[in-house]
Every structure is written in C-alpha cells, then in structure tokens.
Amino acid sequence: MKTPGEVLREGELEKRSDSLFQLWKKKRGVLTPDRLRLFPAGPGTRPKELRFHSILKVDCVERTGKYVYFTIVTTDHKEIDFRCAGESCWNAAITLALIDFQNRRALQDFHSRQQRDAAAEQPEAQTARAP
C-alpha cells in the first residue's frame, strides 16, 4: 500500500503558461500517490498542486523529436499542457499514479457502500425477530 507522502517520481518537466505568449516554464515535479506538485525554478515560491481527485485524465500524448507533449484535463475541464524529455516518461508515471488513485478511491467507495448497506439491514433484521 502506498502512503500519500511517498515520492513516486521527481524531476524536471515543463508547463505551458496561461499567458498570451504561452511560454514553456521549467518546473521540478514531485509525483506522489495522490497529487502532482510543481515547484517553480525560483526559490521561496510555493508549489502548485494538482490533486488527483480533481484530475479526469492525461490526454493528447504526442512524441515529437526530443519531447513528449501531454495534457492533464481537470474535473472542471481545464486543460494544462506539459512537455518532458522523451526518455523521462512523466506522462506514463502520472497516468499510472492517477489510475492507481482512482482504483483505491473506487474500492473505498465500494467498502463504504457495503458497510452502509449492512448497517441499514441490521435494524430491520432485529425488528423482524421481535414478537
């Protein structure tokens, strides 16, 4: 079982800015089982976090020359563009971590539903036995 603070991958990737010129900004990425943290190049600035509960999918993977380009689509349908060195495989690591997170959440939801259903059935069973 993976712990939320465990680092799955750490290294450099680039994020396309939202500005008019859409420049590529180098970031230090830290991937954990529940989020992707992006640290800017400058010291003293806070990292941005993409929590997996707010990510729908990793999309539009394209390899051109030395870079792999990919898009993270959030639950509010915002698209965030990234690129990384082809051999770094950030897109695959993020996709696998996201799938693992979604599977763990689905199992938790399933177990919660089972417990809720079992608790709801217990009073009915006790009432049915009363004289």
Side-chain angles (χ1 to χ4, degrees):
M1 184 78 177
K2 295 179 178 139
T3 59
E6 177 187 353
V7 175
L8 303 175
R9 177 176 283 268
E10 186 171 354
E12 185 180 284
L13 69 160
E14 296 179 48
K15 178 184 171 291
R16 191 189 320 238
S17 68
D18 293 329
S19 69
L20 177 65
F21 297 110
Q22 296 187 338
L23 302 172
W24 290 102
K25 306 266 184 153
K26 288 186 188 287
K27 306 286 183 182
R28 182 175 62 87
V30 177
L31 181 64
T32 65
D34 65 344
R35 71 192 71 191
L36 172 63
R37 285 190 171 141
L38 299 168
F39 293 86
T45 52
R46 293 175 50 106
K48 292 189 177 172
E49 291 189 341
L50 291 170
R51 295 176 182 252
F52 285 157
H53 67 79
S54 66
I55 296 176
L56 282 178
K57 62 183 174 174
V58 177
D59 204 6
C60 301
V61 178
E62 181 181 339
R63 179 180 298 271
T64 59
K66 65 179 186 173
Y67 291 111
V68 173
Y69 295 83
F70 61 97
T71 302
I72 291 179
V73 181
T74 64
T75 52
D76 59 352
H77 301 288
K78 181 180 177 189
E79 295 184 355
I80 307 167
D81 295 326
F82 292 90
R83 74 179 181 185
C84 60
E87 66 277 356
S88 72
C89 300
W90 268 102
N91 57 308
I94 295 167
T95 300
L96 290 173
L98 177 62
I99 290 169
D100 187 54
F101 173 83
Q102 291 169 336
N103 286 342
R104 281 183 284 131
R105 190 167 67 174
L107 280 172
Q108 288 172 345
D109 291 348
F110 175 74
H111 290 305
S112 294
R113 230 180 352 265
Q114 276 187 324
Q115 289 173 347
R116 210 173 32 247
D117 291 347
E121 289 175 4
Q122 274 185 332
E124 292 172 11
Q126 290 174 353
T127 315
R129 283 190 233 146

